[in-house]
Amino acid sequence: MSTPALVNASTLSELGDVIGRERLEKLVARFSQALADAFPEGERPTVEIGREAHTLVSMSGMLGCDAFSAACRILEREAKAGDGIAAPLAEARRLRDATLGALSENSLA
């Protein structure tokens, strides 16, 4: 079974065609900063973590970061349900770091 790419280059290319390369670069830079700040270590209310996940779902999806978007969607759902979020939060953090690395390697950020 193959693992999907952390950043869908086709999605980024299509978005760049629509909004222009310069705007795409600025958007990716802002998103990269949001990723760097996302889900910091330490105790925080579950509802706050859920809101943060909700905020990141659509932007990450729009930029082709589908695995991170899906992880945020799961984290948001678990936070709303009041279920334990340790495992989905750990996965979101893992994918946050991996996605940030993939975006910087893509030389758009």
Side-chain angles (χ1 to χ4, degrees):
M1 180 167 76
S2 67
T3 304
L6 291 168
V7 179
N8 185 325
S10 176
T11 298
L12 279 178
S13 178
E14 289 173 17
L15 184 58
D17 290 345
V18 172
I19 68 172
R21 178 87 177 160
E22 186 176 325
R23 281 188 173 161
L24 177 62
E25 288 173 1
K26 288 179 183 179
L27 188 61
V28 169
R30 277 198 314 260
F31 179 63
S32 294
Q33 185 59 55
L35 279 178
D37 296 337
F39 308 125
E41 297 295 329
E43 289 295 316
R44 294 174 52 213
T46 299
V47 68
E48 188 178 309
I49 294 170
R51 277 195 301 265
E52 185 174 23
H54 174 80
T55 299
L56 292 166
V57 167
S58 60
M59 186 171 219
S60 56
M62 176 183 67
L63 291 172
C65 303
D66 300 328
F68 181 68
S69 182
C72 287
R73 192 173 300 109
I74 291 167
L75 178 56
E76 177 189 14
R77 184 182 66 230
E78 297 299 313
K80 281 183 180 177
D83 293 336
I85 64 165
L89 179 57
E91 179 64 0
R93 285 175 173 156
R94 184 189 72 75
L95 285 167
R96 167 202 65 196
D97 295 344
T99 301
L100 189 56
L103 284 170
S104 66
E105 288 173 11
N106 204 347
S107 75
L108 283 171

